[in-house]
Amino acid sequence: MTTIKDVAKLAGVSVATVSRAINQSGYVGVDSAKKIEKAIKQLDFHPSEVARSLYQKKSKLVGLLLPDISNPFFPLLAKGVEDKMNEAGYHLILGNVQEDMAKEQDYLKAFMQNNVAGILSAVDGGASNLKEIPFVLLDRVATKKEYVVHGNDFEGGILSAKAIAEGNPKEIVLLVGPKSIKGSLERLRGSVSILNEKNLTYHLLQTDSFQFDSAKKASLELFEQFPAVDSVIASNDVHGLAILKEALRRGIRVPEELQIIGYDDIPFSQMVYPSLATIAQPAYEMGYQGAELLCRCMENQPIDKKIIQLPVLLKERETLRKKESL
């Protein structure tokens, strides 16, 4: 492995001179700078980002915390973050928390040890308490005064309930996402406001997670507890797809006997048959705009809005009953 000493030896200068040139931390003569640049290219030398960040007291590394990388929504969000960070010259360190607070703390410790310039997080946890480092919350409703980019969960809940109401529902079940995630409660509030307004009968089924294991469990509980259910507002697409699979396994016709709407618009929702109706969140745009906001924080640029709320859209697909088919 090539070291700074190898560069100094080939260029015929001191290690300190090479360090000043790399870190742009002091005067280096024109001839010496040319020799150093030539030696770096010849040896294909890449300075240690961590070492350079410790010297400069800043780095080009950024931490990203995700709750569950297996949920297809979050890789799309991460891609938006990564694309913007690459454009801005930063590199991403990913932490997959898997809804484990201990893992979150371990990742935060690793981020700090690597002297990251900032952190983005789609996890409701302890990252927002870090006062000494720029921080942006993604896909979560702010609880204090954080910088945040998220979808309009309340409006998403309204759109879900209105779409289900169009299908002449008799018995509706709402799957409620984890109580610790405020966006889940906002979606619930939006849906309930419409169902109450229309005097529709509904039941609540609490879920403890957005993960795959929780979705499978919820799909079984749904039909055991509510055998007469004919309409489901799922907490996310993963749960919606699990319910669709279980319904078809039981011989229930979708959407004639059971209509379903999900949330997020992950790619798989339109690849299954029947395709899953859902509320589309702009995951990529959420990540990209969150990264833009963090860059402004890290580089002390003017910020017009600390909280950015992105619109959501109804995707009417084959798991919804249509008015004309009633």
Side-chain angles (χ1 to χ4, degrees):
M1 182 177 176
T2 305
T3 67
I4 193 171
K5 290 182 180 179
D6 298 321
V7 174
K9 184 177 179 181
L10 183 59
V13 298
S14 69
V15 171
T17 301
V18 176
S19 177
R20 287 198 300 275
I22 292 172
N23 293 300
Q24 300 178 341
S25 58
Y27 175 76
V28 177
V30 175
D31 289 342
S32 294
K34 288 180 179 178
K35 290 176 182 178
I36 292 168
E37 183 179 358
K38 183 179 178 181
I40 287 173
K41 289 180 179 178
Q42 187 174 331
L43 295 171
D44 192 27
F45 174 66
H46 300 281
S48 164
E49 184 62 48
V50 174
R52 185 158 59 181
S53 73
L54 290 172
Y55 182 86
Q56 296 179 336
K57 296 186 179 179
K58 62 180 180 179
S59 79
K60 285 292 185 178
L61 299 173
V62 168
L64 172 62
L65 290 175
L66 297 179
D68 180 15
I69 199 68
S70 67
N71 183 331
F73 175 81
F74 292 108
L76 288 173
L77 185 145
K79 188 176 188 307
V81 171
E82 183 181 38
D83 284 354
K84 174 56 189 176
M85 285 304 175
N86 286 347
E87 289 173 15
Y90 290 90
H91 302 286
L92 208 57
I93 305 176
L94 176 64
N96 181 30
V97 173
Q98 295 179 308
E99 300 183 359
D100 184 333
M101 296 299 291
K103 286 191 73 173
E104 182 196 9
Q105 292 305 311
D106 287 343
Y107 278 121
L108 288 175
K109 183 178 179 181
F111 289 168
M112 302 308 287
Q113 288 173 342
N114 282 277
N115 203 30
V116 296
I119 295 174
L120 298 112
S121 177
V123 178
D124 283 313
S128 59
N129 296 322
L130 298 174
K131 294 180 171 47
E132 69 275 18
I133 189 167
F135 171 79
V136 172
L137 196 60
L138 300 174
D139 188 40
R140 295 291 184 261
V141 178
T143 54
K144 298 178 183 177
K145 294 183 179 180
E146 300 102 337
Y147 293 95
V148 58
V149 181
H150 67 99
N152 190 336
D153 290 294
F154 182 74
E155 179 64 18
I158 287 175
L159 291 174
S160 296
K162 283 184 175 180
I164 286 293
E166 292 287 323
N168 192 28
K170 298 296 189 295
E171 187 162 356
I172 303 168
V173 175
L174 284 83
L175 269 67
V176 185
K179 293 179 180 178
S180 61
I181 298 177
K182 288 192 166 39
S184 300
L185 303 181
E186 283 296 292
R187 294 176 197 176
L188 175 64
R189 193 166 67 87
S191 291
V192 165
S193 70
I194 296 300
L195 299 180
N196 286 340
E197 178 185 304
K198 295 181 179 294
N199 294 316
L200 293 171
T201 300
Y202 64 89
H203 309 278
L204 303 181
L205 178 60
Q206 181 67 52
T207 63
D208 55 7
S209 168
F210 283 132
Q211 293 182 313
F212 282 95
D213 289 346
S214 171
K216 184 177 180 180
K217 176 184 173 186
S219 68
L220 297 174
E221 290 178 353
L222 172 73
F223 293 107
E224 290 171 3
Q225 294 185 30
F226 308 103
V229 60
D230 76 334
S231 301
V232 174
I233 300 175
S235 51
N236 69 354
D237 283 350
V238 172
H239 282 74
L241 291 170
I243 291 164
L244 174 59
K245 179 183 177 181
E246 181 61 20
L248 296 176
R249 188 186 72 81
R250 292 169 179 253
I252 299 171
R253 292 179 301 141
V254 178
E256 294 85 358
E257 296 176 303
L258 178 71
Q259 60 174 344
I260 309 165
I261 189 165
Y263 206 103
D264 285 339
D265 193 28
I266 63 175
F268 297 126
S269 64
Q270 57 185 317
M271 295 173 66
V272 297
Y273 181 79
S275 56
L276 180 68
T278 187
I279 303 301
Q281 289 203 93
Y284 178 89
E285 189 64 23
M286 193 180 294
Y288 193 94
Q289 288 201 30
E292 278 190 320
L293 186 56
L294 184 63
C295 284
R296 287 187 169 276
C297 292
M298 294 186 298
E299 295 163 9
N300 296 314
Q301 296 179 1
I303 295 172
D304 296 328
K305 293 176 67 177
K306 289 183 66 173
I307 298 177
I308 300 172
Q309 186 180 74
L310 300 178
V312 295
L313 296 171
L314 169 65
K315 296 288 185 177
E316 293 190 64
R317 297 195 180 115
E318 295 165 321
T319 58
L320 282 178
R321 289 193 290 268
K322 305 296 182 183
K323 262 186 173 181
E324 57 267 25
S325 64
L326 298 178

